């Protein structure tokens, strides 16, 4: 990475006003500097040699709910220890200057903890659980969580309240996210491989609707070709350039 913001980023930053509508799509890379491993590519992105596609599916849970819960329990433990980093805080500051809507693929809740107000949790929350028998959903912040966790109401098996591969995004979250991509002037992509849809498709919606697009990532992603500006480096170091 460079230690100076690219000129185009400075020019864009200087044109931001209270009326500017910014939609931000975040992925695991924004939380990497908080000590939470990403899913793909990084040295510590694997968990006991399992790929996310092998753990985060309804079929994996049906086959081996204990294994899947142990993976979530490990991640809940890491997240409980983690703090928002400078990138999360930058987005919280940005909302004082512009109209910011965050769409996050992350389930860690760090945007909320950093003080961001408008956050759509596209893939749910790791702190939510849902009963497979009675459908009751609630917040559950136990660390560690008993394995296997049971519903307090009907004793059915609980599952994580997140969206797995092959499952649909909650319609109201999807609609609001597409709307935010369609109606923004600036679309910012931070720390995502752009490999998972429909989230990655939001960049296309924004671009085709006329937004300026910019991306912050350690390395080019699968959607970098759709970006007007690419800022290489760790988001915790580069994103503050948006407000400094
Ligand atoms: N700063 C910026 N970008 C980073 C950093 C960092 N410090 N560290 C890693 N990255 C980038 C990587 O280069 C990569 O492009 O973050 C991205 C992480 O990609 P993934 O691990 O694939 O995470 P994400 O895109 O959020 O995954 C999407 O897949 O497993 C599912 O549901 C899960 O929401 C997740 C979805």
């Amino acid at each position: 990475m460079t230690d100076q913001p690219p000129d185009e980023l400075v020019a864009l930053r200087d044109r931001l006003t209270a009326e500017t509508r910014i939609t931000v799509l975040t992925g695991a890379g924004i939380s990497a500097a908080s000590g939470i491993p990403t899913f793909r590519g990084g040295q510590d992105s694997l968990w006991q040699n399992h790929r996310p596609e092998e753990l985060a599916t309804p079929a994996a849970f049906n086959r081996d709910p204990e294994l899947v819960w142990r993976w979530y329990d490990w991640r809940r433990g890491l997240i409980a220890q983690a703090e928002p980093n400078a990138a999360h805080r930058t987005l919280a500051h940005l909302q004082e200057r512009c109209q910011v809507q965050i769409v996050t693929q992350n389930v860690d809740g760090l945007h909320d903890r950093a003080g961001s107000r408008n956050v759509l949790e596209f893939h749910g929350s790791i702190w939510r659980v849902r009963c497979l028998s009675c459908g009751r959903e609630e917040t559950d912040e136990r660390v560690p969580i008993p394995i296997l966790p049971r519903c307090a109401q009907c004793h059915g098996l609980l599952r994580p309240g997140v969206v797995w591969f092959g499952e649909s995004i909650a319609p109201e979250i999807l609609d609001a996210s597409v709307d935010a991509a369609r109606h923004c002037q600036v679309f910012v992509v931070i720390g995502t491989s752009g490999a998972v849809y429909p989230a990655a498709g939001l960049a296309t919606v924004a671009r085709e609707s006329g937004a300026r697009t910019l991306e912050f990532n350690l390395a080019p992603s699968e959607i970098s070709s759709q970006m007007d500006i690419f800022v290489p480096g760790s988001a915790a170091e580069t994103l503050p350039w948006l407000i400094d």
Side-chain angles (χ1 to χ4, degrees):
M1 73 170 265
T2 55
D3 51 8
Q4 294 287 330
D7 291 346
E8 317 154 273
L9 180 62
V10 174
L12 183 142
R13 177 185 75 195
D14 292 347
R15 284 199 304 273
L16 298 178
T17 70
E19 276 73 48
T20 310
R21 289 185 303 275
I22 303 183
T23 296
V24 184
L25 174 66
T26 64
I30 195 171
S31 295
S34 296
I36 303 171
T38 61
F39 295 99
R40 298 171 186 81
Q43 278 185 332
D44 50 6
S45 60
L46 298 177
W47 180 76
Q48 298 188 4
N49 300 319
H50 294 284
R51 286 155 26 91
E53 291 83 351
E54 292 166 0
L55 290 168
T57 70
F61 192 75
N62 287 339
R63 194 165 51 237
D64 194 345
E66 199 174 314
L67 173 73
V68 174
W69 261 120
R70 280 201 291 116
W71 184 52
Y72 278 94
D73 189 46
W74 171 73
R75 290 174 56 207
R76 285 162 63 106
L78 285 177
I79 291 167
Q81 302 288 324
E83 295 293 333
N85 65 57
H88 299 104
R89 290 195 296 273
T90 295
L91 294 179
H93 284 303
L94 194 62
Q95 73 191 354
E96 310 305 333
R97 299 197 187 171
C98 309
Q99 299 176 39
V100 179
Q101 174 66 63
I102 297 175
V103 180
T104 187
Q105 297 167 87
N106 299 343
V107 295
D108 57 30
L110 290 184
H111 288 302
D112 279 342
R113 283 175 53 198
S116 283
R117 288 186 295 269
N118 301 324
V119 183
L120 292 164
E121 292 186 309
F122 207 75
H123 291 159
S125 166
I126 203 162
W127 302 115
R128 304 282 294 170
V129 293
R130 187 162 72 247
C131 176
L132 289 174
S133 298
C134 71
R136 182 169 179 242
E137 189 170 324
E138 62 179 350
T139 298
D140 183 330
E141 295 180 332
R142 289 175 292 174
V143 175
I145 192 164
I147 293 173
L148 295 164
R150 296 275 167 189
C151 176
Q153 195 166 271
C154 77
H155 209 60
L157 180 61
L158 296 176
R159 61 159 281 176
V162 302
V163 180
W164 282 332
F165 288 99
E167 295 184 324
S168 302
I169 308 301
E172 66 279 10
I173 300 277
L174 181 62
D175 288 352
S177 301
V178 171
D179 203 54
R182 191 168 285 146
H183 294 112
C184 64
Q185 288 133 345
V186 180
F187 190 78
V188 185
V189 180
I190 307 166
T192 177
S193 56
V196 176
Y197 284 77
L202 296 173
T204 313
V205 172
R207 184 175 183 77
E208 289 178 350
S209 306
R212 272 322 282 293
T213 52
L214 63 150
E215 179 176 26
F216 296 79
N217 200 312
L218 282 182
S221 71
E222 296 193 17
I223 51 176
S224 295
S225 61
Q226 301 182 46
M227 297 295 136
D228 297 315
I229 305 173
F230 180 81
V231 186
S234 169
E237 291 168 36
T238 55
L239 203 63
W241 289 336
L242 253 187
I243 55 169
D244 288 345

